Amino acid sequence: MSKFNSFSFNGKKALVRVDFNVPIKDGNITDDTRIKAALPTIKKILADGGSVVLMSHFGRPHKDIEKKPHLTLADFSLKPVAKHLTTLLGTEVQFAEDCISEDAQQKAAALQPGQVLLLENLRYYKQEEKGDAAFAETLSKLGDVYVNDAFGTAHRAHASTAVIAQYFPADKKMFGLLMEGEVSAAEKVLHNAQKPFTAIIGGAKVSDKIMIIENLLEKATDIIIGGGMAYTFFKAMGGQIGNSLCEDDRLDTARELMKKAEAKGVCIHLPQDSILADKFAADANTASAINTEIPEGWMGLDIGQMACDMFCKVIKDSKTILWNGPMGVFEMEKFQHGTKCVADAVKEATEAGAYSLVGGGDSVAAVNKFGYADKVSYVSTGGGAMLEFFEGKELPGIAAIKN
Ligand code: AMP
């Protein structure tokens, strides 16, 4: 059983770091996915007979106020979340208007088993992002067990995500259920992958994905490269890519990655063909071409049918699949076919017993758009954190609990 599940919170006050950085418009929460994701952890603590002090960041108050002086700290308040969480939990969620004030300390001290308190936005204090030890220590006094359930911020060495853990003994700090799920899915893929292990890497830019590809060259058997980033590879090989997306300062990087892959025996699969557009628009005229012969005036906005067929075959032969980044501009209907084909293949491979993890903002958005979220083994909520994990970096939020 997991550390969190086997711990009895009876009579304990759990200080839980969550990620309630949700979109709020005119005081209304427009997407509560992140709040709902924290519910199992909160409910287990309450069911055990414990109480919960929740803390989270919300936006980037100081940076945003500097840029847009009409904004104030009140625009970054977590108060609407307390109200929404009250509805979701069916239990009144108290609110402290400052995360470390006397009032917060008194409210935390007075909490009874079964009660929940949400602290105001941690980032009202600049010390949070600076990883200030005194600030972290003050926060740590608000609970007797520290639970980190905010995988989305695990790559930041902030006061509440990492530094705070040192003020709790080893048996009183742990991951929450969401974080446990994320960490075990990521570790399964990176450290215990059954082979063949295929990484599907897409999206706009090579520069964003170099480190993840480099690290996966040590782990994967096959790397599929799709999306806008593929055209830099074709140009690097001397192809004509028309007006397709290209990072001219990354041509050498693309050549080096291909050389390294060859030396390591990792198969890099590039799409042979593309669906072309005569402008970057949903109503563009379309055509198709192989990727070394794209005429001037046309740009590749999706992988073509030959590429779909080839990628799907590789995916269906895999036992482990990691997917980060779409195959094309899936937000526009005319250019979503490739991403949909890949989603279909990942679904079929999963049904046939493969382990599949989808991580990183836009591929998660694509899987959700096509209604496949429950057809893959795991959909990660931690975009940047998951990316850094697969780049091979140690995430401070994980290290602080484990080490
Ligand atoms: P990323 O955040 O790097 O994963 O990139 C995701 C974005 O890449 C999505 O918004 C896609 O629309 C975009 N994208 C994918 N393929 C292409 C392409 N061939 N040309 C331009 N943009 C693309």
Side-chain angles (χ1 to χ4, degrees):
M1 207 199 280
S2 75
K3 185 169 174 180
F4 180 83
N5 269 326
S6 56
F7 190 88
S8 171
F9 287 90
N10 190 13
K12 298 274 188 304
K13 197 162 292 163
L15 179 60
V16 187
R17 176 54 159 102
V18 287
D19 181 359
F20 284 169
N21 187 27
V22 291
I24 298 183
K25 204 162 183 253
D26 304 325
N28 295 312
I29 294 159
T30 53
D31 180 352
D32 65 357
T33 311
R34 286 183 174 157
I35 303 175
K36 284 187 174 148
L39 291 179
T41 293
I42 299 169
K43 284 183 177 167
K44 140 87 178 158
I45 298 168
L46 298 179
D48 275 4
S51 56
V52 180
V53 179
L54 296 165
M55 54 179 176
S56 175
H57 71 288
F58 179 65
R60 300 181 163 190
H62 294 289
K63 283 179 195 142
D64 285 0
I65 290 169
E66 225 168 77
K67 275 191 238 147
K68 299 178 188 163
H70 67 278
L71 293 174
T72 65
L73 282 181
D75 293 303
F76 297 87
S77 174
L78 278 168
K79 206 166 193 171
V81 175
K83 198 169 144 222
H84 191 70
L85 188 58
T86 297
T87 313
L88 291 177
L89 278 175
T91 301
E92 200 219 324
V93 175
Q94 302 174 39
F95 187 69
E97 309 217 346
D98 180 306
C99 61
I100 53 167
S101 64
E102 188 96 9
D103 172 59
Q105 291 172 31
Q106 277 168 9
K107 281 184 173 145
L111 271 193
Q112 296 301 309
Q115 293 188 325
V116 183
L117 168 69
L118 173 64
L119 305 177
E120 183 55 286
N121 190 355
L122 294 162
R123 288 193 187 165
Y124 278 13
Y125 286 86
K126 288 185 176 166
Q127 291 94 317
E128 162 65 359
E129 287 177 85
K130 288 188 177 143
D132 183 84
F135 177 69
E137 189 176 9
T138 309
L139 281 173
S140 75
K141 303 253 162 61
L142 299 173
D144 24 59
V145 185
Y146 170 63
V147 177
N148 188 350
D149 214 18
F151 183 73
T153 49
H155 55 318
R156 313 262 184 235
H158 292 171
S160 69
T161 60
V163 181
I164 194 170
Q166 67 188 292
Y167 302 105
F168 293 86
D171 62 336
K172 297 253 170 54
K173 54 182 164 188
M174 61 197 80
F175 300 139
L177 291 170
L178 174 66
M179 183 102 166
E180 271 184 354
E182 294 275 357
V183 172
S184 80
E187 285 182 343
K188 187 173 167 114
V189 169
L190 201 60
H191 304 309
N192 287 310
Q194 259 190 289
K195 306 265 166 90
F197 168 16
T198 299
I200 310 162
I201 308 294
K205 289 182 173 174
V206 179
S207 48
D208 289 344
K209 309 282 164 97
I210 294 167
M211 298 218 286
I212 187 168
I213 296 176
E214 291 244 2
N215 193 41
L216 289 169
L217 285 175
E218 309 294 329
K219 311 273 179 187
T221 46
D222 297 83
I223 300 180
I224 288 174
I225 294 181
M229 59 188 283
Y231 302 101
T232 301
F233 285 82
F234 283 106
K235 183 151 182 198
M237 293 187 291
Q240 305 292 315
I241 60 164
N243 296 33
S244 306
L245 207 64
C246 182
E247 287 172 278
D248 285 313
D249 57 341
R250 298 292 174 174
L251 297 173
D252 284 339
T253 310
R255 286 186 204 105
E256 275 161 31
L257 283 174
M258 284 189 288
K259 257 196 226 150
K260 278 189 196 163
E262 204 180 335
K264 289 181 186 297
V266 177
C267 213
I268 292 212
H269 305 273
L270 289 163
Q272 298 105 312
D273 58 341
S274 284
I275 304 296
L276 308 180
D278 59 355
K279 58 180 176 182
F280 189 89
D283 64 349
N285 293 308
T286 60
S288 58
I290 63 165
N291 278 338
T292 45
E293 293 175 15
I294 299 177
E296 278 308 310
W298 291 85
M299 62 186 86
L301 292 190
D302 193 8
I303 57 172
Q305 194 57 49
M306 283 194 288
C308 282
D309 294 344
M310 198 255 283
F311 286 0
C312 289
K313 185 174 173 342
V314 176
I315 293 165
K316 286 183 199 165
D317 285 342
S318 306
K319 288 263 176 292
T320 306
I321 300 158
L322 168 67
W323 183 10
N324 175 284
M327 295 292 101
V329 185
F330 73 99
E331 298 93 333
M332 300 178 191
E333 209 180 326
K334 286 185 178 177
F335 310 108
Q336 68 173 23
H337 179 67
T339 304
K340 174 96 173 28
C341 280
V342 163
D344 269 324
V346 174
K347 169 187 157 244
E348 277 183 45
T350 310
E351 280 166 359
Y355 186 83
S356 55
L357 191 163
V358 181
D362 275 317
S363 32
V364 173
V367 159
N368 285 333
K369 177 173 175 172
F370 302 134
Y372 283 11
D374 58 353
K375 308 267 188 308
V376 298
S377 308
Y378 195 83
V379 179
S380 170
T381 56
M386 194 51 103
L387 208 60
E388 289 200 17
F389 186 92
F390 282 105
E391 287 172 355
K393 294 184 185 148
E394 180 174 65
L395 307 190
I398 296 180
I401 299 272
K402 281 197 165 177
N403 300 342

